[in-house]
Amino acid sequence: MSYKSLLTILTDPATLTRVLDSSVFLAARQDAHLDVLSLGIDRTQIGYSYIGGAAVLAQASMDRAAEDAEKLDAAARTILNRQDVRWAAEAAVAQLGSLGAIVSTKARFADLVLLPHPYGTEGAPEAEAVLEAVLFEGAAPVLLLPDTLLSDTLGKRVVIAWNQGPEAMAAIRCALPLLKQADLVNIAVIDPPGYGPERSDPGGALCQMLVRHGVKAEVSVLARTMPRISDILLRHVRDQNADLLVMGAYGHSRFREALLGGATRDMLEMAQCPVFLAR
C-alpha cells in the first residue's frame, strides 16, 4: 500500500524549489506520479472606482496573475525535467476568493497533497486558503512541508495526536502507507476523559488496529500540564525525536479557530516538523 498520485500546488516563487524538491523526493520514494499545479493569484479587491475603472483593474490583475502562473510553471518544468520521476505540470489562474473550485478539482483525485506550512517564514497570503480548499472541498489529506527539505528519516518515528475524534481517525487511515513504513509510531493521548469507551485503556483500540496492519505502535498518555494542546504535542514530538506528526484537522470550525485558536491553527503556526493533516 502506497501513494500513487501526489499533487503539489505552487503559488510562491520563494518556496518553489524547496517544495518541488521535497515533492520529487516523496514521489520517488513512493514510486508515485507527481502532478504540479502552478497557480497565479488575482488578489484584486475592487471597491469604489471611477466608471469603467473596475474592468480595467480586473483585466490588469488577471494579466499579472497569468504571467505569474507561466513563470512558476516554467521554473517548475526546468526542475522536473532533471528528475527521474513521472510528472505532469500545468498552470492556471484563480481569484483569491474563488480558489476552492480549481484547487479542489485537482486535490480530490490525489492520494496526498504536499504544501508548504501556511505560516512559515516564507508563507504567502493565499497559502492558508489553498490548504483549506484541499482539506474541506477536495477532501484530500495534506502533508505540510517544513522549511527544510525532506530527508530519508521522514516517517521513521511518528507521533499520532489521538483524541478519539473522526478527524483524527480519518488522518490515521490516510497516513497508513507512511505509518506501516515507520520504525515506531507513538500514539499520544492528552488528558483522556474519565468516561467513554476508551476510559480504561486510552488509545488501546487504535494501537491494536495499527498493530494488525503491521505498524510498530505504542501509546503515551500525557497529562495536560500546559494551557495549549499544541504546546504539549510539540514538546512530545521533540521528546520522541519524531520526524512526522499525524493529526486530524479542524475539529472545531475554521471561524472559531481563526478567532479563538485551536490545535490545528496553533500547529500550523508553530510546527517545525512535517505535519500530516486530514479530516
Side-chain angles (χ1 to χ4, degrees):
M1 183 179 181
S2 61
Y3 303 109
K4 291 303 179 185
S5 296
L6 303 182
L7 168 68
T8 190
I9 300 171
L10 306 174
T11 60
D12 185 2
T15 62
L16 182 146
T17 300
R18 172 172 54 82
V19 170
L20 266 187
D21 285 348
S22 292
S23 300
V24 167
F25 167 81
L26 191 59
R29 179 169 159 176
Q30 295 286 318
D31 189 26
H33 184 281
L34 175 63
D35 289 306
V36 179
L37 174 63
S38 296
L39 203 55
I41 308 298
D42 173 13
R43 301 179 181 85
T44 305
Q45 300 293 330
I46 298 175
Y48 294 103
S49 60
Y50 61 87
I51 295 175
V56 174
L57 289 173
Q59 186 58 53
S61 182
M62 288 295 286
D63 289 344
R64 284 196 301 271
E67 183 178 347
D68 291 342
E70 290 171 2
K71 289 180 179 178
L72 283 171
D73 184 62
R77 289 174 182 272
T78 298
I79 294 173
L80 291 168
N81 279 325
R82 300 195 297 262
Q83 308 301 325
D84 187 23
V85 295
R86 300 184 301 278
W87 61 272
E90 64 177 295
V93 175
Q95 292 185 316
L96 186 58
S98 59
L99 283 172
I102 186 168
V103 169
S104 62
T105 298
K106 295 291 293 184
R108 65 171 55 106
F109 298 107
D111 296 328
L112 181 63
V113 181
L114 294 91
L115 298 173
H117 271 279
Y119 298 115
T121 56
E122 301 170 331
E126 61 277 354
E128 186 179 8
V130 171
L131 169 62
E132 292 185 353
V134 171
L135 287 171
F136 284 87
E137 299 172 61
V142 174
L143 180 63
L144 290 179
L145 304 170
D147 290 339
T148 56
L149 294 177
L150 295 183
S151 68
D152 290 333
T153 62
L154 174 71
K156 294 298 184 183
R157 296 182 65 88
V158 183
V159 168
I160 293 175
W162 177 237
N163 62 358
Q164 305 181 39
E167 295 84 7
M169 194 71 244
I172 291 162
R173 293 188 191 280
C174 291
L176 267 175
L178 293 174
L179 300 180
K180 292 170 72 172
Q181 297 173 357
D183 292 338
L184 180 65
V185 173
N186 182 272
I187 302 167
V189 185
I190 299 173
D191 193 20
Y195 56 87
E198 293 194 1
R199 64 185 181 277
S200 62
D201 186 17
L206 174 60
C207 187
Q208 182 183 66
M209 185 198 90
L210 293 177
V211 168
R212 287 173 178 171
H213 278 278
V215 177
K216 303 176 185 66
E218 64 178 20
V219 178
S220 293
V221 179
L222 309 174
R224 186 162 185 171
T225 55
M226 305 173 77
R228 297 193 302 186
I229 294 293
S230 55
D231 292 329
I232 302 171
L233 276 175
L234 288 173
R235 182 179 63 186
H236 188 62
V237 167
R238 291 192 296 269
D239 291 345
Q240 291 290 314
N241 195 27
D243 46 60
L244 179 64
L245 173 65
V246 175
M247 63 182 293
Y250 294 107
H252 302 297
S253 71
R254 286 174 286 178
F255 181 71
R256 172 177 169 172
E257 294 219 7
L259 290 179
L260 304 177
T264 306
R265 180 84 178 195
D266 293 338
M267 294 305 295
L268 295 181
E269 293 178 353
M270 298 186 299
Q272 299 298 314
C273 67
V275 180
F276 189 104
L277 294 173
R279 68 180 314 279

